[in-house]
């Protein structure tokens, strides 16, 4: 697919959201609420359940279903309390040695005045810092939009997977076009330059796996579920020191850095 085609597909109406993946793959899911600091952010869904019999923590950015639900969930643009809720669950997963699955689908973190007053940048940075050294396997999947720090806050993982028709970028094509050329209508041109497709990011070493779109349909979900189960079993077999060293090397090696 062309770059901007991926962007448009990632925003398509009716595309499965985080809750659809949880419903199809996670048995006995129990959602947890709140960050114990300010409030519960509906844009982030977090809780525990079972993946093929394995206890697991799941954190997903949820855009919502119908219009009312999308508004309630702020269209998947999380506030600081959403990222702090996510981190709270990740730290609990570390305590009880549960693997963590993150489902990323956001155009970016919410940039409202209240979010900035409550420390949006700090919340994102803290997640990245803590996830880098979390002593439990973490796997993140970009299931739709992977926008800026709002996505990266849940994508510091041992492995990052992407749907073939998703995108993952430091900025949206419209935002890049507005900054570079003062013209958001040149978004298609910007998308081609940003190297935001799954294939681009796989070639750059940013992600480890490209998921065919067919696996996100109901009939294909069991294959994705099996692949996730096998990936977590591989990671769980590693001792903690090796797990953390491999995670560190993964990020050091991106862009031709230290391997």
């Amino acid at each position: 697919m062309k770059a901007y085609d991926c962007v448009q597909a990632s925003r398509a109406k009716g595309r499965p959201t985080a809750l659809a993946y949880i419903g199809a793959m996670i048995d006995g899911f129990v959602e947890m609420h709140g960050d114990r600091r300010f409030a519960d952010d509906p844009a982030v869904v977090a809780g525990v359940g079972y993946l093929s019999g394995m206890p697991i923590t799941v954190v997903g950015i949820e855009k919502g279903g119908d219009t009312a639900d999308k508004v309630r969930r702020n269209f998947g643009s999380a506030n600081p309390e959403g990222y702090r809720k996510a981190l709270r669950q990740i730290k609990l997963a570390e305590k009880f040695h549960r693997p963590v699955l993150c489902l990323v689908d956001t155009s970016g973190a919410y940039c409202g005045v209240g979010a900035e007053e409550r420390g949006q940048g700090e919340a994102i940075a803290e997640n990245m810092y803590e996830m880098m050294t979390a002593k439990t396997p973490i796997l993140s999947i970009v299931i739709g939009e992977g926008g800026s720090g709002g996505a990266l806050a849940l994508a510091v993982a041992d492995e990052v997977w992407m749907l073939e028709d998703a995108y993952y970028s430091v900025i949206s094509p419209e935002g890049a076009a507005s900054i570079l050329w003062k013209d958001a209508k040149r978004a298609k041109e910007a998308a081609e330059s940003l190297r935001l497709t799954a294939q681009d990011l796989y070639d750059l070493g940013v992600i480890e796996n490209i998921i065919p779109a067919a696996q996100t349909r109901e009939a294909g979900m069991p294959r994705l579920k099996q692949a996730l189960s096998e990936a977590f079993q591989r990671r769980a077999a590693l001792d903690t020191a090796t797990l953390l060293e491999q995670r560190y090397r993964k990020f050091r090696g991106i862009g031709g850095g230290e391997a």
Side-chain angles (χ1 to χ4, degrees), residues 88-173:
R88 176 177 165 233
Q89 293 306 315
I90 291 168
K91 297 298 287 184
L92 281 172
E94 180 183 35
K95 179 178 179 180
F96 294 105
H97 307 292
R98 286 192 302 264
V100 178
L101 173 63
C102 295
L103 301 169
V104 177
D105 187 12
T106 181
S107 60
Y110 187 54
C111 56
V113 173
E116 295 300 327
E117 289 175 340
R118 296 192 299 277
Q120 184 71 285
E122 180 189 24
I124 292 171
E126 185 177 13
N127 273 33
M128 294 169 63
Y129 176 85
E130 293 289 350
M131 289 176 73
M132 181 60 75
T133 56
K135 298 179 179 66
T136 195
I138 304 174
L139 194 151
S140 294
I141 306 178
V142 182
I143 61 173
E145 291 191 89
S148 193
L152 190 57
L154 292 180
V156 178
D158 300 299
E159 296 184 29
V160 179
W161 297 4
M162 271 183 75
L163 268 66
E164 63 181 352
D165 57 353
Y167 84 89
Y168 187 22
S169 174
V170 68
I171 191 172
S172 71

Side-chain angles (χ1 to χ4, degrees), residues 20-227:
Y21 285 85
I22 292 170
M25 297 191 298
I26 307 301
D27 300 318
F29 181 72
V30 177
E31 185 177 354
M32 306 296 184
H33 295 276
D35 67 342
R36 294 191 173 179
R37 297 191 193 183
F38 181 75
D40 182 46
D41 185 355
V44 175
V45 175
V48 296
Y50 294 92
L51 174 70
S52 300
M54 177 191 304
I56 189 171
T57 290
V58 185
V59 179
I61 301 178
E62 174 61 33
K63 285 186 171 181
D66 58 25
T67 301
D69 195 32
K70 289 180 183 293
V71 171
R72 184 173 74 86
R73 298 184 186 277
N74 205 29
F75 297 87
S77 290
N79 279 281
E81 48 271 23
Y83 293 112
R84 289 170 179 145
K85 173 169 66 173
L87 182 57
R88 176 177 165 233
Q89 293 306 315
I90 291 168
K91 297 298 287 184
L92 281 172
E94 180 183 35
K95 179 178 179 180
F96 294 105
H97 307 292
R98 286 192 302 264
V100 178
L101 173 63
C102 295
L103 301 169
V104 177
D105 187 12
T106 181
S107 60
Y110 187 54
C111 56
V113 173
E116 295 300 327
E117 289 175 340
R118 296 192 299 277
Q120 184 71 285
E122 180 189 24
I124 292 171
E126 185 177 13
N127 273 33
M128 294 169 63
Y129 176 85
E130 293 289 350
M131 289 176 73
M132 181 60 75
T133 56
K135 298 179 179 66
T136 195
I138 304 174
L139 194 151
S140 294
I141 306 178
V142 182
I143 61 173
E145 291 191 89
S148 193
L152 190 57
L154 292 180
V156 178
D158 300 299
E159 296 184 29
V160 179
W161 297 4
M162 271 183 75
L163 268 66
E164 63 181 352
D165 57 353
Y167 84 89
Y168 187 22
S169 174
V170 68
I171 191 172
S172 71
E174 293 82 3
S178 296
I179 291 171
L180 293 174
W181 304 300
K182 311 300 180 185
D183 184 1
K185 293 180 180 179
R186 296 178 67 177
K188 187 174 182 179
E189 183 181 349
E192 294 295 336
S193 300
L194 285 168
R195 301 196 69 182
L196 47 70
T197 70
Q199 189 61 57
D200 287 332
L201 295 163
Y202 182 83
D203 293 340
L204 290 168
V206 175
I207 67 170
E208 282 71 35
N209 190 19
I210 300 174
I211 303 169
Q215 289 190 17
T216 67
R217 304 188 187 102
E218 187 174 354
M221 283 286 191
R223 293 178 60 189
L224 177 58
K225 181 178 179 179
Q226 180 64 27

